[in-house]
Amino acid sequence: MILTLVGMPGGGKSTVGRLLGRQLDIPFVDSDAEIEKHLGGESIKDYFARMGEVSFRDVESQVIAELLKRQGEMVLATGGGAVLREINRDRLHQLSTVVYLRSSPDELFRRLRHDTQRPLLQVPNPLGKLRELYAQRDPLYRRCAHFVLETARPSVHGLANMILMQIELAGLIDPARVAATVGATVSPTPSG
């Protein structure tokens, strides 16, 4: 099983993905980190500035295709714009189980207002840019996703457990594996 997390920049994909990988005892892969390896260590920010968005999206599509061909299980966190290309949406939906971590632009702005690494947010009005990106991308994330989870309230552990329960209910993972995982992260409540 490949479990893929999609969503806006700063939506928690890498943080939740790392935790899910640990809980399921399977590799966690961040597509942005894999892209930087593919670029020989050049940062996405620098490559984006030097080569432009179209060239970056070409590399991103190639890396996602390669990752989805890997054998074995993994949790995959994608970049926020991975869904912009239909080929990526189709591949992710067909070759993995996709969870959309949905966050509002205002919530994302609170998390990202001091971030200097995300190329698309290095603009005079980052909140306006987040609202614009959200309006463009939310329908694409939904089209790609098997499951949509709101990120506004839950903790990272709460989100991970919600994802595990969703994939268990869908019959995509052994319930015993989820029970062991969720049980290990939730402290038991004392009985009466």
Side-chain angles (χ1 to χ4, degrees), residues 3 17 30 54 62 71 77 175 180 190:
L3 181 62
D30 185 309
V54 172
Q62 179 185 347
Q71 297 299 308

Side-chain angles (χ1 to χ4, degrees), residues 31-32 34-36 38-39 44 47-48 52-70 76-92 95:
S31 68
D32 284 350
E34 294 297 311
I35 289 167
E36 289 185 346
H38 182 88
L39 296 174
I44 287 173
Y47 184 85
F48 205 96
E53 184 172 2
V54 172
S55 180
F56 168 72
R57 298 294 173 205
D58 290 342
V59 173
E60 181 178 52
S61 289
Q62 179 185 347
V63 169
I64 286 172
E66 290 168 6
L67 290 171
L68 292 172
K69 288 179 189 169
R70 285 189 185 173
L76 173 62
T78 61
V83 298
L84 292 173
R85 291 209 171 156
E86 185 175 5
I87 186 88
N88 294 344
R89 294 193 303 273
D90 291 346
R91 282 179 180 144
L92 290 167
L95 302 173

Side-chain angles (χ1 to χ4, degrees), residues 135-147:
Q136 174 194 30
R137 295 177 180 182
D138 181 63
L140 303 177
Y141 294 132
R142 289 175 178 280
R143 202 171 306 150
C144 180
H146 296 94
F147 304 100

Side-chain angles (χ1 to χ4, degrees), residues 1-117:
M1 171 187 67
I2 298 176
L3 181 62
T4 300
L5 303 178
V6 300
M8 290 284 290
K13 300 177 299 289
S14 295
T15 305
V16 172
R18 269 189 211 90
L19 178 59
L20 283 167
R22 281 195 307 270
Q23 288 179 316
L24 293 169
D25 195 26
I26 62 176
F28 165 72
V29 178
D30 185 309
S31 68
D32 284 350
E34 294 297 311
I35 289 167
E36 289 185 346
K37 283 185 203 170
H38 182 88
L39 296 174
E42 183 177 9
S43 75
I44 287 173
K45 181 181 178 182
D46 290 347
Y47 184 85
F48 205 96
R50 188 169 60 82
M51 299 298 293
E53 184 172 2
V54 172
S55 180
F56 168 72
R57 298 294 173 205
D58 290 342
V59 173
E60 181 178 52
S61 289
Q62 179 185 347
V63 169
I64 286 172
E66 290 168 6
L67 290 171
L68 292 172
K69 288 179 189 169
R70 285 189 185 173
Q71 297 299 308
E73 296 183 310
M74 82 171 88
V75 176
L76 173 62
T78 61
V83 298
L84 292 173
R85 291 209 171 156
E86 185 175 5
I87 186 88
N88 294 344
R89 294 193 303 273
D90 291 346
R91 282 179 180 144
L92 290 167
H93 190 83
Q94 291 166 12
L95 302 173
S96 69
T97 299
V98 181
V99 178
Y100 169 23
L101 298 181
R102 189 169 180 262
S103 305
S104 74
D106 291 339
E107 180 185 344
L108 292 167
F109 180 69
R110 281 193 299 277
R111 291 184 205 160
L112 298 175
R113 64 183 175 270
H114 302 298
D115 189 307
T116 60
Q117 296 307 306

Side-chain angles (χ1 to χ4, degrees), residues 16 19-20 23 149 154-169 177-187:
V16 172
L19 178 59
L20 283 167
Q23 288 179 316
L149 292 178
S155 65
V156 170
H157 282 279
L159 277 171
N161 288 339
M162 287 167 57
I163 292 168
L164 291 171
M165 287 187 270
Q166 286 292 323
I167 62 176
E168 176 194 354
L169 289 170
R177 192 171 175 191
V178 173
T181 301
V182 173
T185 60
V186 178
S187 52

